[in-house]
Amino acid sequence: MKDNLTRSLTRAQRSFTAFTTGQKVVAVLGTGALLLAAFMVFSWASKPAMTPLFSNMSAEDTAAVVEELTAQGVPYEIAGGGTTVMVPQDTVYETRIALSGEGLPASSGQGGYSILDGQDLSTSEFQEQTDFKRAMEGELSRTIEGIDGVGTAVVHLALPQKEVFADEQEPATASVLVSTSPGAALSPEQVQSVVHLVASSIDGLDPDRVTVADGAGTLLTPPADSAMGAASTRAQQVSEVQDEMTRRIQATLDRIAGPGNATVQVTADLNFDQTVTESTRYEPDPDNPPLSSSEQTETYEGAGGGLGTVGGVVGPDGQMEGTDGTVDGASSYEKSTRTQDNAIDTITEVRESAPGEIDKLGIGVVIDSGNAAAIDPNQVQQLVAATVGVDPRRGDTISVSSMPFDRSAEEAAAAEIAAAEAADAKSAQMTLFRNAGLGLLIALLVVVAWLKSRKKGKQRAEATTYVVEQLRADAAARAAAAQQAALEAQTPAMAALAQSENALTDDLRDELASLVERQPEDVAALLRGWLVEKP
């Protein structure tokens, strides 16, 4: 085994020595690349899969856990900005149980309602109130930290003592300090969730008295009664209305003119005045019976009795002028009066208008005349008006124009993107070519080495055959010469000498044959040295 290894190393050394300088450099680089690739593959295959052991830990808990893992010899990784410790997946449960037995992480079982576990009959009222406030602060902090994007949260509560005989109580207040994860920010909806979460957890806490701030000191919940808070709320509401209408109109225009061939701007005037309207209506109900009813009838009847009546036209002196002067006959009179008080329903309506109603809209649409010249602006105007509900009675205006767009910026950006994509494609192509060339070069080196080894093996076989043939020819010549000398001398002494020479020749031949079989490379090298030596 040792002789084979020595011969292999000697062959490799001689083969490397026979290379040119370029071949030596390529062989060294190829061997280094193969070793590096094998090392990377081995490292990747031998690296264990990591899984979180504990998450959302404080810096003190992380330091204690890392120290214990180092003492136990467990490999670990730190992630999540120092709040998460990861260990190999196959040992996570054993490690977690072992650390829990050591009381780690230390703050995992502290805070929150666990503070109230130590209270007994000797606890004072002040201590009870303080512990209750600390417990609520801890529980709220943990709950807020469960929101996506929140790293840590600190809650402070101001709960005034309730006065029994006081007419007015001091209101409860709360302040929340949140630290977001790197690269994350709380949205307005998340801030409102934090506000209402805290307000709903404390009895008598008004959401307007909850203050939320971030780690940079930015106030996320400005007071609702302040000018800044009101202006911010109104501006946000106006922006949301304008963005929603712009999105709806732009989606319609993109379907008509194509993406990038039309643009729209919407200006909304909102009314933030809160008004209350009260109206009263009186309507009779025919189904209800009348409240009161009275009826009066007056009748008169009488005979003529020779009395005459003057007929004709009333004259200037108030006397009747006629032809006759008397009328015979009876007279009658009848009068009826009915009074009824009906029940009347009274309807009182109180309407309170919410702030944020749209007072007026201004919409401007511009269509690219170069790419969408066939589009009728009047039809676009009617379509946009129907999409967002334009009302001319309240003063809404809409304008649709067609003009060429300046696309120099878009073309420059497209050219830069195309150049970047071309550069990336070229880089990927060059990387592919380099890897393919390196692989081809390594394969070529392997083939060349294999061919050279075959050629050297063939040369060794030829040299061995040549040496053996030469030795055999030399031995035959010597044997023939010895026999000839023996025949000529024909003396006992000469016969014995010839026999000894023949025996020595046979021994030498056997030894040389054995040497050729054991060390064919050395014999071939020796023969090459003899052949190149000058006489």
Side-chain angles (χ1 to χ4, degrees):
M1 180 66 181
K2 183 178 181 180
D3 295 338
N4 294 333
L5 181 61
T6 303
R7 286 197 298 269
S8 300
L9 292 176
T10 305
R11 268 198 315 271
Q13 183 179 3
R14 289 177 179 173
S15 301
F16 184 76
T17 307
F19 287 168
T20 62
T21 304
Q23 291 176 343
K24 291 180 180 179
V25 173
V26 172
V28 171
L29 292 179
T31 305
L34 289 176
L35 292 176
L36 180 61
F39 175 75
M40 294 178 64
V41 172
F42 177 76
S43 300
W44 173 78
S46 60
K47 185 178 180 181
M50 308 298 284
T51 188
L53 178 65
F54 295 110
S55 302
N56 296 327
M57 293 189 300
S58 61
E60 295 80 4
D61 291 340
T62 303
V65 170
V66 168
E67 183 178 358
E68 185 65 24
L69 291 177
T70 304
Q72 296 180 5
V74 178
Y76 64 88
E77 293 180 0
I78 299 177
T83 61
T84 302
V85 177
M86 305 180 70
V87 297
Q89 188 175 4
D90 54 349
T91 62
V92 59
Y93 298 110
E94 294 82 356
T95 306
R96 188 175 296 168
I97 294 173
L99 293 181
S100 298
E102 298 293 334
L104 295 176
S107 61
S108 61
Q110 298 180 2
Y113 290 128
S114 60
I115 298 177
L116 304 178
D117 296 338
Q119 292 186 357
D120 52 18
L121 295 177
S122 62
T123 304
S124 62
E125 182 180 359
F126 175 77
Q127 184 66 30
E128 288 181 355
Q129 295 178 356
T130 304
D131 290 345
F132 173 76
K133 187 176 72 170
R134 290 177 56 196
M136 292 301 299
E137 291 174 350
E139 291 296 330
L140 289 174
S141 299
R142 291 183 182 179
T143 305
I144 295 173
E145 288 174 357
I147 298 177
D148 187 18
V150 178
T152 58
V154 179
V155 180
H156 294 287
L157 300 176
L159 304 178
Q161 187 177 3
K162 294 184 178 180
E163 300 292 341
V164 179
F165 300 102
D167 295 336
E168 296 182 359
Q169 297 286 341
E170 291 293 331
T173 59
S175 61
V176 182
L177 178 64
V178 294
S179 177
T180 58
S181 303
L186 293 182
S187 63
E189 292 78 10
Q190 289 177 318
V191 174
Q192 292 300 318
S193 298
V194 172
V195 170
H196 290 280
L197 181 66
V198 175
S200 301
S201 302
I202 304 301
D203 185 19
L205 180 58
D206 191 353
D208 294 337
R209 297 187 179 276
V210 179
T211 303
V212 181
D214 60 5
T218 304
L219 190 62
L220 302 180
T221 55
D225 55 349
S226 65
M228 181 179 63
S232 176
T233 304
R234 293 179 181 180
Q236 181 180 359
Q237 189 171 353
V238 171
S239 178
E240 290 177 355
V241 172
Q242 294 180 163
D243 293 343
E244 175 63 20
M245 291 190 174
T246 302
R247 184 189 63 79
R248 292 164 56 187
I249 298 174
Q250 190 66 51
T252 304
L253 295 177
D254 289 343
R255 297 287 294 179
I256 296 174
N261 294 327
T263 182
V264 60
Q265 292 292 331
V266 177
T267 302
D269 185 11
L270 304 184
N271 183 9
F272 292 96
D273 296 337
Q274 186 175 3
T275 59
V276 178
T277 304
E278 183 176 353
S279 60
T280 303
R281 293 181 300 170
Y282 301 95
E283 295 181 357
D285 190 356
D287 297 334
N288 293 334
L291 298 179
S292 61
S293 177
S294 62
E295 185 175 355
Q296 182 178 2
T297 303
E298 182 179 352
T299 304
Y300 173 78
E301 292 182 359
L307 296 178
T309 58
V310 179
V313 181
V314 179
D317 296 334
Q319 296 181 357
M320 302 293 292
E321 295 180 359
T323 57
D324 196 343
T326 60
V327 176
D328 293 336
S331 62
S332 63
Y333 171 78
E334 182 177 356
K335 179 181 179 181
S336 298
T337 303
R338 183 178 180 183
T339 303
Q340 181 175 340
D341 296 332
N342 295 320
I344 298 177
D345 292 338
T346 303
I347 301 176
T348 303
E349 294 183 355
V350 178
R351 295 185 179 182
E352 182 176 353
S353 62
E357 185 180 358
I358 298 177
D359 273 353
K360 186 170 61 174
L361 285 177
I363 303 174
V365 178
V366 181
I367 303 175
D368 187 9
S369 59
N371 296 333
I375 298 178
D376 187 5
N378 294 327
Q379 294 181 353
V380 174
Q381 181 174 355
Q382 296 176 1
L383 181 61
V384 172
T387 301
V388 296
V390 174
D391 189 1
R393 291 176 298 178
R394 65 184 180 188
D396 295 350
T397 59
I398 179 172
S399 174
V400 179
S401 304
S402 179
M403 59 184 64
F405 280 13
D406 182 10
R407 300 185 179 273
S408 57
E410 296 180 5
E411 294 174 355
E416 292 180 359
I417 294 175
E421 292 178 352
D424 294 340
K426 185 176 180 180
S427 177
Q429 187 177 10
M430 293 301 296
T431 303
L432 179 61
F433 287 163
R434 183 177 68 251
N435 295 336
L438 183 59
L440 183 61
L441 181 60
I442 294 175
L444 183 61
L445 289 176
V446 173
V447 172
V448 169
W450 179 68
L451 292 177
K452 284 190 175 183
S453 64
R454 287 190 60 187
K455 184 177 180 181
K456 289 182 179 180
K458 186 177 180 181
Q459 290 177 354
R460 283 194 220 102
E462 292 177 354
T464 303
T465 304
Y466 175 75
V467 170
V468 172
E469 290 177 355
Q470 290 295 326
L471 290 174
R472 289 177 179 175
D474 186 33
R478 290 188 181 190
Q483 291 177 2
Q484 184 67 26
L487 292 174
E488 292 177 355
Q490 293 296 326
T491 60
M494 293 301 292
L497 180 61
Q499 185 177 3
S500 64
E501 288 181 356
N502 291 334
L504 180 61
T505 301
D506 294 338
D507 294 339
L508 180 60
R509 184 174 61 251
D510 294 338
E511 184 178 355
L512 288 175
S514 177
L515 178 63
V516 171
E517 293 295 334
R518 290 197 312 269
Q519 299 180 357
E521 295 87 355
D522 297 337
V523 175
L526 180 61
L527 290 176
R528 283 197 297 270
W530 290 349
L531 293 175
V532 298
E533 287 181 357
K534 295 182 179 180

